[in-house]
Structures are given as C-alpha cells and as structure tokens.
C-alpha cells in the first residue's frame, strides 16, 4: 500500500516539476487535488475501509496530500519568479527622456542683461562695486558737482524720505538715488586708486510713460588712474557695445553733452536704421548710417568730483559712464514697452525670459539662445 503511495508521489512530483508554466501547473493541480482528482478519489475510498485500515491509509494519504500541495506551491513561486525575470529583461525604461518644458523657470531679461554686461566688463578687468538705494544729498548730488540749488538737480527729480536727524550737513536729506553715479563717490572714498569698477543697481525718478518708470536699473562704470584719457573711454565703450550687440563693426558716435560730474561730457550713440519698419542696429552695408540711437552718458571725471573724494586732480584722471539696463535689454531683445518689465506676467517672462542653463560667456560671444 505504502508502495503505491510512494509511486503515486513520484509520478505526481514528476508531473509538477515538468510543468513549465503556470497554466500547466494548475492543470496538474486539478487532476490531483481537484474534486475529481486522483488523491481526492483515493480519499473517497477510505469510507469503505474498516477502522484500522482507514486509520493508517488515511494518515498516509493526508501526508501525501500535504506534500503534493507544498510541491505545487514551491513550483508555482519558482514559475512566477521566472515569469517576472523574463518580463524585466524584455522591458526597457527610457531614462533619456528630457524633462517637461513647462516646469522650467526663466531668467528675467534684466538679470540676463546684468550677467552679460558683467561678463563683458569683467573681461576688460573691471570689478563689481555696490552702493545703497537710499542715498543722501551729498552722495547723489553735492559730491558729484551738483551744489545745493544747482539747476541740474531739476533734471533728476526723485522721492525724498524724512530727514535723518542724527546726520550732519548734506547727509541729513535722504532720498532714493537718481543714478548709480553715487557709487563712484562711495567707492573712491573707501578705496585707494587706481579704480576700475562697474556697479549695477536700482535707481529712482518721478517719471512714468512708455519709456520711463519710477524705478529702473542703471549700470555705472568708473576708471581712474594717472594716465587714462578720452581715447581710452572711446575705445572701451566701443568695444563694449560691439561685444554686447554682437556686431564686430558696429559704428558709434560721441556727441558733446552736459553732466555736472564730467568734463568733457558726452553721449554715445550707436548706428541704427528704422527704414525696415522696425529698428535695426548697425550701419548700412555700404557703411553709411541712417540714424543714431543714444545709449549712454559718459565723460572724463570732473576735477571737483576727484577733489570731493580726496584725490588730487593734478595727479589723477579717468572716465565714467552710465547707462539704463532696461534700455539695453529692450534694444538687444526687441522688447517694446518698458512698463511690461515690472508687471510680473508669467507669459511675458516665458516669451522674453532666458533658459537658466544658458549662461553668457565671452568665449561664445555672449550669444544667447531664446528659450
Ligand atoms: N548718471 C548719469 C545719468 O543718470 C549718466 C552718466 C554717468 C553720465 C557717468 C556720465 C558719466 O544720466
């Protein structure tokens, strides 16, 4: 009897190990343990046996049944694992897909332009200085050769703050700086010459229209030593606009102009054409110039300014220049309305903004790809 059971066990075990997919294995299970299965059928014969035989055979059959059930389970998990391994080996995960575009932020044109200006002037050896937005009368006007009551102060109306009771003399009157030229004074007072700096910052005037907002950004430049002259000023600024607008032969002109803190003073224009309807920067192909666009103020630093910073004008000399950053961005990137810079409209930023990973550098000609 136990031999029969042993043979049956071997037979069924072979069937189980031979089943090499889950479907076949389940079929084996039904033929053995199902309602009409072989072991089930044997179980049913127990009822007809006498008590003694039923006991020994019943026990043996139960052991067999459990052993077979275990074997099936083991085979089943082996088959499932095999199936998963095959699936994993055949499925590939493409991790080379680029991230979704709409999740990307953009660099504001003002920040972008500041980066580009920094790159160009850093390449010429200028370092970056800083000064406060809240200035006083001395730094914003007097030290820059706008004495109290000077009519040139009228050109730069600004916002005044309550007087600083603890300050002395011309430091009492607090105001929002009208230009970054105040940083020239602060830098020259705090540092030893030679000076070769640029400075970026917010500036304020009480104006508001398509090309003026009460707050805007400026960049200042200052170079002071014993030999720097007007020729250096012209060369430096011509190189700068050529690098910034990426036009190697961009024509410039200097027109005499008045700023109290420079002598002589000038405005620099770049060649442009309005014939095509829009604005095109640069001269015509034959070298002729249709029109000029004013882009910055400049000049040789006035002796009175050098004196107010403790420098002897007989010994030191140099140039300064200042420009509006929005204006540079509008010209380079074709942005028509200054006011839109500050509306915080995400659609505007998506259109005029820049890819964060696209950093400017002079090696690639500060060429920027529009995002
Ligand atoms: N500060 C002047 C302005 O705001 C610009 C300027 C700077 C002119 C330096 C000459 C020299 O208009």
């Amino acid at each position: 009897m136990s031999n029969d059971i042993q043979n049956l066990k071997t037979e069924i075990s072979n069937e189980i190990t031979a089943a090499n997919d889950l479907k076949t294995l389940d079929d084996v299970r039904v033929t053995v343990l199902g309602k009409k299965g072989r072991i089930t059928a044997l179980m049913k014969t127990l009822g007809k046996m006498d008590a003694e035989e039923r006991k020994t055979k019943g026990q043996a059959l139960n052991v067999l049944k459990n052993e077979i059930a275990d074997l099936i389970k083991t085979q089943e998990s082996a088959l499932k694992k095999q199936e998963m391994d095959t699936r994993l080996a055949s499925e590939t995960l493409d991790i080379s897909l680029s991230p979704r575009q709409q999740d990307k932020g953009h660099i504001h044109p003002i920040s972008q332009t500041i980066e580009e200006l920094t790159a160009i002037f850093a390449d010429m050896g200028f370092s970056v200085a800083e000064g406060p937005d809240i200035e006083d009368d001395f730094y914003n006007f007097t030290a820059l050769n706008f004495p109290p009551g000077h009519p040139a102060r009228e050109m730069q109306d600004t916002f005044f703050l309550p007087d600083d009771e603890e300050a002395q003399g011309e430091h009492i009157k607090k105001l929002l700086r009208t230009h970054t030229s105040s940083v020239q004074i602060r830098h020259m007072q705090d540092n030893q010459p030679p000076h070769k700096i640029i400075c970026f910052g917010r500036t304020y005037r009480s104006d508001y229209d398509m090309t003026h907002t009460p707050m805007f950004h400026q960049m200042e430049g200052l170079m002071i030593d014993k030999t720097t002259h007007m020729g250096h000023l012209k060369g430096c600024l011509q190189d700068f606009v050529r690098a910034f607008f990426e036009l190697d032969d961009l024509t410039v002109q200097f027109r005499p102009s008045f700023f109290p803190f420079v002598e002589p003073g000038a405005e620099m224009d770049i060649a442009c054409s309005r014939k095509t309807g829009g604005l095109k920067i640069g001269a015509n192909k034959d070298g002729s110039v249709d029109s000029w666009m004013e882009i910055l103020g400049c000049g040789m630093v006035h002796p009175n300014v050098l004196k107010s910073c403790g420098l002897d004008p007989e010994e030191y000399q140099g140039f300064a220049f200042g420009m509006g950053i929005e204006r540079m961005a509008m010209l380079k990137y074709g942005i028509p309305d200054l006011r839109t810079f500050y509306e915080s409209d995400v659609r505007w930023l998506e259109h005029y903004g820049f890819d964060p990973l696209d950093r400017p550098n002079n090696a690639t000609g500060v060429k920027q790809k529009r995002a």
Side-chain angles (χ1 to χ4, degrees):
M1 208 20 116
S2 68
N3 250 356
D4 289 351
I5 287 187
Q6 195 51 51
N7 290 342
L8 185 59
K9 186 183 163 188
T10 316
E11 202 181 302
I12 297 174
S13 306
N14 289 340
E15 282 176 34
I16 291 172
T17 40
N20 48 20
D21 61 67
L22 289 166
K23 169 84 181 64
T24 316
L25 182 66
D26 198 54
D27 289 346
V28 174
R29 188 188 58 81
V30 172
T31 62
V32 180
L33 301 172
K35 264 187 196 161
K36 291 177 184 158
R38 278 181 282 173
I39 293 181
T40 321
L42 284 174
M43 292 287 210
K44 281 181 185 159
T45 62
L46 292 173
K48 289 179 196 136
M49 297 174 187
D50 59 43
E52 194 55 30
E53 198 187 357
R54 179 161 60 227
K55 197 179 163 204
T56 43
K57 195 142 186 222
Q59 257 175 13
L61 277 178
N62 258 331
V63 170
L64 173 68
K65 192 180 145 188
N66 289 340
E67 281 173 351
I68 293 301
D70 283 350
L71 274 179
I72 291 177
K73 234 189 223 155
T74 315
Q75 179 71 354
E76 189 183 357
S77 47
L79 287 176
K80 277 188 176 156
K81 183 178 175 299
Q82 201 178 54
E83 201 173 77
M84 179 61 85
D85 287 347
T86 331
R87 244 181 74 189
L88 286 178
S90 67
E91 280 178 7
T92 50
L93 182 63
D94 185 359
I95 55 160
S96 68
L97 268 183
S98 43
R100 289 191 192 169
Q101 291 296 309
Q102 65 263 35
D103 292 335
K104 217 165 58 175
H106 289 82
I107 305 281
H108 194 282
I110 292 290
S111 310
Q112 174 73 21
T113 305
I114 290 177
E115 294 259 8
E116 292 175 24
L117 294 170
T118 308
I120 295 168
F121 282 99
D123 212 39
M124 293 197 242
F126 285 81
S127 47
V128 178
E130 280 179 7
D133 287 22
I134 297 178
E135 265 301 358
D136 61 46
D137 224 60
F138 176 77
Y139 289 109
N140 197 79
F141 292 125
T142 312
L144 285 161
N145 199 31
F146 298 77
H150 193 290
R153 287 188 174 208
E154 284 289 305
M155 298 185 333
Q156 302 191 359
D157 189 18
T158 183
F159 303 91
F160 290 87
L161 285 91
D163 286 354
D164 180 355
E165 306 289 343
E166 282 162 29
Q168 299 283 318
E170 287 155 287
H171 299 292
I172 295 175
K173 210 179 219 96
K174 295 280 175 211
L175 47 87
L176 293 178
R177 67 178 173 195
T178 60
H179 51 184
T180 43
S181 301
S182 51
V183 182
Q184 289 185 32
I185 308 299
R186 288 186 176 272
H187 184 80
M188 283 193 278
Q189 284 191 342
D190 293 349
N191 297 276
Q192 290 304 311
H195 302 294
K196 200 172 179 186
I197 53 138
I198 51 171
C199 157
F200 302 96
R202 296 193 178 108
T203 49
Y204 306 82
R205 294 188 198 177
S206 39
D207 278 332
Y208 191 64
D209 59 35
M210 240 183 97
T211 49
H212 297 89
T213 49
M215 188 282 297
F216 57 104
H217 295 76
Q218 277 195 345
M219 181 192 142
E220 192 80 10
L222 174 73
M223 173 150 185
I224 300 287
D225 60 19
K226 293 182 179 176
T227 53
T228 292
H229 55 68
M230 189 91 186
H232 296 125
L233 160 68
K234 291 172 83 173
C236 169
L237 293 179
Q238 173 173 288
D239 281 359
F240 149 63
V241 281
R242 288 181 173 183
F244 183 77
F245 290 107
E246 296 165 32
L247 291 172
D248 289 345
D249 54 359
L250 181 54
T251 316
V252 301
Q253 77 173 8
F254 290 82
R255 261 182 306 109
S257 183
F258 173 72
F259 302 95
F261 38 94
V262 287
E263 180 59 36
E267 256 155 340
M268 184 171 88
D269 300 338
I270 53 174
C272 68
S273 171
R274 294 180 175 85
K275 279 195 176 148
T276 47
L279 177 81
K280 198 180 141 287
I281 291 171
N284 298 319
K285 281 214 176 71
D286 62 4
S288 63
V289 175
D290 290 341
S291 183
W292 296 100
M293 166 74 70
E294 174 201 324
I295 62 158
L296 57 80
C298 58
M300 298 305 291
V301 175
H302 196 287
N304 288 350
V305 174
L306 294 170
K307 273 189 225 155
S308 63
C309 300
L311 292 178
D312 177 1
E314 296 297 323
E315 193 180 358
Y316 288 102
Q317 60 182 43
F319 62 81
F321 56 91
M323 72 190 89
I325 295 171
E326 284 81 351
R327 186 174 179 75
M328 299 303 283
M330 287 165 83
L331 286 174
K332 182 165 179 181
Y333 296 113
I335 307 173
D337 189 337
L338 172 63
R339 291 169 293 197
T340 56
F341 277 76
Y342 311 112
E343 282 167 0
S344 302
D345 186 333
V346 172
R347 292 163 304 176
W348 183 90
L349 192 54
E350 263 163 27
H351 183 75
Y352 288 114
F354 293 83
D355 187 326
L357 298 178
D358 199 9
R359 311 313 288 166
N361 71 76
N362 278 340
T364 57
V366 295
K367 191 162 249 132
Q368 297 303 305
K369 192 169 58 196
R370 274 279 266 292

